Every structure is written in structure tokens, then in C-alpha cells.
């Protein structure tokens, strides 16, 4: 009875959210081309590949961050078990773009089915997975129930329960507990996440705390660093000029960085500001904010071959796949979605690159990561915009202090690597035993 009620409520909720999805498809594009995937209906060429007799592990990831984790796990599983193939499912068009770089010739990329019985049954019949691996906490009850009913073991990796989600999972443990206990095993990021999973009804014996896999995901991108260095040089940025980088910024953070930049130029006149917004469709608004603040703007998507710019020009990097390269060039980085929005973006990447890294007060999505980094004095956190701005200004005014912070950050990330190989080894062992 409860699953009938769930399915009715799901259908109502999805219908109510459909206008939002249609707007997103129109704005971002791409997603519409494979929208039928959401109903478990695939193009003929995809169906042919799914029916070619290859046994595949189905890995699911929501968007960019989870896809990076999924890709790292897939690569490690391939290393430990050459020949293993995958179906990788994603939810967002941005995740799809990232996922295309993670799949191999024998893999199949799809959009995840809606968690509605007919859609799920069609998807599971088409995929016939050898196993189902979920990254973080994308728990869709019908998918898990259908996959395990078909005899495939299911695993939850890099599991976390956010501050916002924890009360809901606890209240609905009568719903989530039975689903969580269908999983073969759960690999949690931290003791807190394990406790929250237990509160949600998961048996403690099914949970292992491994630490976060995100320390394993980040890798420097020397080719991108070299290409971006050449770009900046062409734009008139000297190789030894300090760079303040805003990584994955959200609305409001661009204005904050522009104010810091204005103040910092008084003590570091050769400083240049680079802003990489989290959502490139908001680049027009970011450019308007830069110009309203009185700075020239070099927008990378519109100037692939730049001319030399004025000394205080701001570089707006609204192109995909280059943030890691910019992290490798930055002197000081502010990581976005941490000042006004809750959650935080990935601070591991600039730390790995040895960049002095500053975040705002909201880093809930990276709680275990931040605990590790703060304990090793490898990152700086401002409690509000004023404090975050003061920290940035101090680091920009004291290059030796910034360099020392960046060196500690790089060492801290290296010390925390290793969760992914352990999880891959355990999953393969459990599959062999099954």
C-alpha cells in the first residue's frame, strides 16, 4: 500500500515540476535529445548495444560532482578487473557532458529513468545490470527494489546525508529503512553520515566508513594549465602576476570578489581577477556586474584569441572544462557556493594544486573534507563576507603566507587519498561471492 501511495505522490510531484524541466531543457539544450531515456525508452542503437551480450555494471550519478566520483570508481574497477563494462546514468545535461569523458568504448551512457514502476521496469529489462552502484545519496526506491528483485546486488558509495536531508530521512525511516537494507553494502564518507544512515533505518552492519572518494578524484591538468597560461599571456597577464580566482561562483559572490579585487589592487597592483561562474548561462549577468563595477571584461567564450587587455581587466572564464587548469595557475582562490548559498563547491581541487584556498561559512556538502583540511591548517574559512574578504586581502598582501598555506593544502590532499581502491576491491569481492 505504501508503495502505491509513493507512486501516486511521485507522479503528482513530477507533473508539477514538469514546467521547470521544460525551461531547463530550453535553456541548457542537449537534455531534450534523449528525454525518452527518462521513461526507459532508448534509441535503437543504444538498445542494440545493451543487448550485445556484454555484462555491465550500472553506475548512477546525478551531475558533475557525482559523475567525477563515478568516473574515478569506474577507472579503478577497470584497473582491478580489466574488461569490466558499465552503463553510466546521469540526471542533468551538465552531468552528461562530464560523463561523456568518463565512458569507454564498451560502455553505454543514458539518462536515468524516472522512479516510476513502468519506466524503471523497462530500464532494468534493457540494461540487465550485473550490479547497481549509486554515488552519494541518489536513493530512488523503485529503482533499488526493481534492480535487487532482478537479482543484481546494489551498492551505495561515497554516501552522505546532508544537514538539510537528515531530518527527513529520520522521519521517513519506515520508507527508507527497507530500501537501504536492500543494498548489499553502503560506503559512507564519515561517522556522522553513517550515524544518519542508521537513523534512516539502515542496518549498521551494512555500513563501512571509508572517508570521501573526492580526495581521489582531483588530478592536476598540466595541458590545460599550459594552454591557459598561454591565453593569459596573450591577454597581457605576466607569468609572475598574482591571480585571484573565483571558482564555481554563485550569484552575489561575483560582486563580493569584485569588491575584494578593488581593495587588493591598492596593495598588489599587478593582481588579476579570474571568475569562473558555476552556471555559464548566468555569464551575461556576471559580465554586467564586472562592467558595472568599472572594470574591463575579457569574456573567454567570445575571445578565444585575446588581445592585450588593460591592467585591471577581469577575465570571465565562461567555457567548460577549464576550472582545474585555472586552479593550477591561481595564487589565491575563493571557492563558490559557500558565501550566500548553502552547500559549497569542491575545495579539494584548488588545494591539490597548492593554491591558497578560502571558503565562506557554508560548506555543508563537504563536511568531512573541511574537517580534515581545517585540522591541518590547509584551508581558510570566513564566517561571513567581511571575514572572508579580510582573509583574501591578507593572503594577497602576504605572498609567503599564501604559498605556505597552498603547500600545506597540497600535502593534506595527498595524505587523504585511497578510499576508491578499497571500495572497488570490496565491491568486486562481493560480486565474486554473490
Amino acid at each position: 500500500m505504501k508503495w502505491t501511495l509513493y507512486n501516486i505522490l511521485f507522479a503528482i510531484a513530477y507533473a508539477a515540476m514538469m514546467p521547470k524541466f521544460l525551461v531547463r531543457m530550453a535553456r541548457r539544450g542537449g537534455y531534450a535529445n534523449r528525454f525518452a531515456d527518462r521513461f526507459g525508452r532508448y534509441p535503437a542503437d543504444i538498445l542494440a548495444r545493451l543487448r550485445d551480450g556484454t555484462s555491465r555494471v550500472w553506475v548512477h550519478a546525478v551531475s558533475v560532482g557525482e559523475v567525477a566520483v563515478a568516473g574515478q570508481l569506474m577507472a579503478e574497477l577497470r584497473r582491478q578487473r580489466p574488461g569490466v563494462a558499465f552503463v553510466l546514468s546521469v540526471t542533468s545535461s551538465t552531468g552528461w557532458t562530464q560523463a561523456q569523458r568518463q565512458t569507454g568504448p564498451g560502455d553505454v551512457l543514458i539518462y536515468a529513468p524516472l522512479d516510476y514502476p513502468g519506466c524503471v521496469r523497462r530500464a532494468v529489462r534493457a540494461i540487465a545490470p550485473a550490479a547497481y552502484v549509486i554515488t552519494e545519496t541518489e536513493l530512488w526506491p523503485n529503482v533499488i527494489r526493481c534492480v535487487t528483485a532482478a537479482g543484481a546486488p546494489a551498492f551505495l558509495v561515497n554516501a552522505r546525508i546532508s544537514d538539510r536531508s537528515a531530518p527527513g530521512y529520520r522521519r521517513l525511516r519506515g520508507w527508507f529503512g527497507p530500501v537501504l537494507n536492500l543494498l548489499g553494502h553502503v560506503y559512507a564518507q564519515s561517522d556522522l553520515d553513517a550515524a544518519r544512515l542508521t537513523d534512516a533505518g539502515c542496518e549498521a552492519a551494512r555500513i563501512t566508513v571509508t572517508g570521501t572518494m573526492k580526495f581521489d578524484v582531483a588530478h592536476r591538468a598540466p595541458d590545460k594549465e599550459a594552454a591557459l597560461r598561454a591565453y593569459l599571456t596573450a591577454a597581457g597577464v605576466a607569468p609572475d602576476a598574482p591571480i585571484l580566482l573565483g571558482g564555481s561562483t554563485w550569484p552575489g559572490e561575483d560582486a563580493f570578489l569584485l569588491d575584494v579585487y578593488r581593495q587588493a589592487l591598492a596593495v598588489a597592483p599587478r593582481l588579476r581577477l579570474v571568475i569562473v561562474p558555476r552556471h555559464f548561462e548566468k555569464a551575461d549577468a556576471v559580465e554586467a556586474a564586472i562592467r558595472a563595477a568599472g572594470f574591463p571584461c575579457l569574456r573567454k567564450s567570445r575571445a578565444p584569441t585575446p588581445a592585450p587587455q588593460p591592467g585591471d581587466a577581469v577575465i570571465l572564464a565562461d567555457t567548460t572544462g577549464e576550472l582545474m587548469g585555472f586552479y593550477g595557475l591561481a595564487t589565491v582562490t575563493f571557492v563558490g557556493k559557500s558565501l550566500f548559498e548553502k552547500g559549497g563547491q569542491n575545495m579539494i581541487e584548488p588545494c591539490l594544486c597548492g593554491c591558497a584556498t578560502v571558503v565562506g561559512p557554508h560548506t555543508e556538502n563537504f563536511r568531512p573534507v573541511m574537517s580534515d583540511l581545517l585540522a591541518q591548517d590547509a584551508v581558510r574559512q570566513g564566517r561571513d563576507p567581511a571575514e572572508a574578504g579580510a582573509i583574501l586581502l591578507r593572503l594577497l598582501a602576504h605572498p609567503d603566507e599564501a604559498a605556505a598555506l597552498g603547500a600545506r593544502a597540497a600535502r593534506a590532499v595527498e595524505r587523504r587519498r585511497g578510499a576508491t581502491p578499497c571500495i572497488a576491491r570490496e565491491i568486486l569481492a562481493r560480486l565474486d561471492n554473490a
Side-chain angles (χ1 to χ4, degrees):
M1 177 63 186
K2 70 179 180 180
W3 295 117
T4 301
L5 177 60
Y6 168 82
N7 292 331
I8 292 171
L9 294 174
F10 181 90
I12 293 171
Y14 192 77
M17 294 175 68
M18 181 60 77
K20 177 182 177 181
F21 294 145
L22 294 175
V23 169
R24 184 180 297 174
M25 279 191 286
R27 188 172 67 238
R28 294 188 179 177
Y31 186 51
N33 296 331
R34 292 284 295 272
F35 190 61
D37 285 20
R38 301 290 273 153
F39 300 93
R41 301 186 184 280
Y42 307 107
D45 61 323
I46 296 299
L47 279 175
R49 295 189 63 202
L50 290 172
R51 294 169 179 167
D52 65 4
T54 302
S55 176
R56 294 181 173 90
V57 174
W58 180 3
V59 180
H60 176 64
V62 183
S63 193
V64 176
E66 296 84 4
V67 169
V69 170
Q72 188 71 19
L73 178 62
M74 290 160 58
E76 183 60 31
L77 287 167
R78 282 195 184 96
R79 191 188 69 78
Q80 295 187 23
R81 184 70 54 87
V84 65
F86 303 94
V87 170
L88 177 58
S89 65
V90 298
T91 301
S92 72
S93 57
T94 51
W96 181 279
T97 302
Q98 173 78 4
Q100 288 177 311
R101 296 192 284 268
Q102 305 287 359
T103 49
D107 303 331
V108 178
L109 177 59
I110 62 171
Y111 281 108
L114 297 174
D115 198 46
Y116 199 71
C119 306
V120 170
R121 284 195 294 268
R122 280 191 293 271
V124 172
R125 281 198 302 267
I127 297 168
Y132 179 54
V133 180
I134 312 157
T135 58
E136 304 212 355
T137 47
E138 186 78 351
L139 298 172
W140 293 112
N142 281 324
V143 177
I144 295 171
R145 292 169 67 233
C146 191
V147 165
T148 53
F155 305 95
L156 177 60
V157 303
N158 214 43
R160 68 178 182 88
I161 303 290
S162 69
D163 296 349
R164 183 181 302 177
S165 301
Y169 277 108
R170 187 168 55 250
R171 284 194 303 269
L172 297 173
R173 62 178 290 140
W175 296 72
F176 285 105
V179 174
L180 287 165
N181 290 322
L182 290 174
L183 299 171
H185 209 73
V186 176
Y187 301 94
Q189 292 189 28
S190 69
D191 291 328
L192 177 61
D193 293 307
R196 288 175 170 176
L197 285 159
T198 304
D199 288 343
C202 186
E203 298 166 354
R206 294 180 184 272
I207 305 171
T208 300
V209 177
T210 59
T212 178
M213 296 167 65
K214 290 185 175 179
F215 281 117
D216 296 327
V217 170
H219 298 281
R220 293 195 70 156
D223 291 344
K224 289 181 181 177
E225 291 176 23
L228 291 171
R229 173 59 71 194
Y231 183 89
L232 293 175
T233 299
V237 181
D240 60 344
I243 293 174
L244 169 62
L245 175 66
S248 291
T249 58
W250 282 60
E253 292 172 337
D254 308 303
F256 160 77
L257 285 167
L258 289 164
D259 183 56
V260 170
Y261 184 45
R262 187 186 309 281
Q263 297 177 65
L265 285 171
V267 295
R270 299 174 67 246
L271 178 68
R272 303 301 286 267
L273 172 61
V274 177
I275 296 178
V276 185
R278 177 68 179 88
H279 298 295
F280 296 147
E281 61 266 26
K282 299 186 187 300
D284 287 345
V286 179
E287 181 178 4
I290 293 169
R291 297 195 183 281
F295 296 109
C297 178
L298 172 62
R299 188 162 170 177
K300 193 169 184 298
S301 66
R302 297 178 180 174
T305 306
Q309 301 294 305
D312 60 347
V314 177
I315 292 90
L316 173 54
D318 58 337
T319 47
T320 60
E322 295 185 323
L323 181 56
M324 200 65 194
F326 276 115
Y327 281 145
L329 303 180
T331 309
V332 178
T333 287
F334 173 79
V335 179
K337 202 185 178 184
S338 65
L339 201 58
F340 305 115
E341 298 281 343
K342 291 189 176 181
Q345 298 295 154
N346 192 341
M347 68 287 299
I348 297 172
E349 293 173 342
C351 287
L352 171 71
C353 293
C355 180
T357 302
V358 180
V359 298
H362 303 297
T363 56
E364 296 84 357
N365 291 346
F366 292 84
R367 188 184 299 280
V369 171
M370 281 298 295
S371 295
D372 278 341
L373 295 176
L374 287 170
Q376 299 176 74
D377 192 21
V379 69
R380 296 285 164 81
Q381 185 170 29
R383 291 169 292 186
D384 52 39
E387 185 174 35
I391 293 170
L392 288 169
L393 289 169
R394 176 174 177 81
L395 291 171
L396 291 167
H398 297 84
D400 291 345
E401 182 179 338
L405 177 61
R408 289 195 300 274
R411 291 194 298 269
V413 172
E414 288 298 331
R415 281 197 290 265
R416 289 294 183 270
R417 291 183 182 271
T420 304
C422 295
I423 293 170
R425 194 158 43 246
E426 279 218 15
I427 288 176
L428 290 173
R430 291 177 185 277
L431 288 178
D432 291 341
N433 291 337

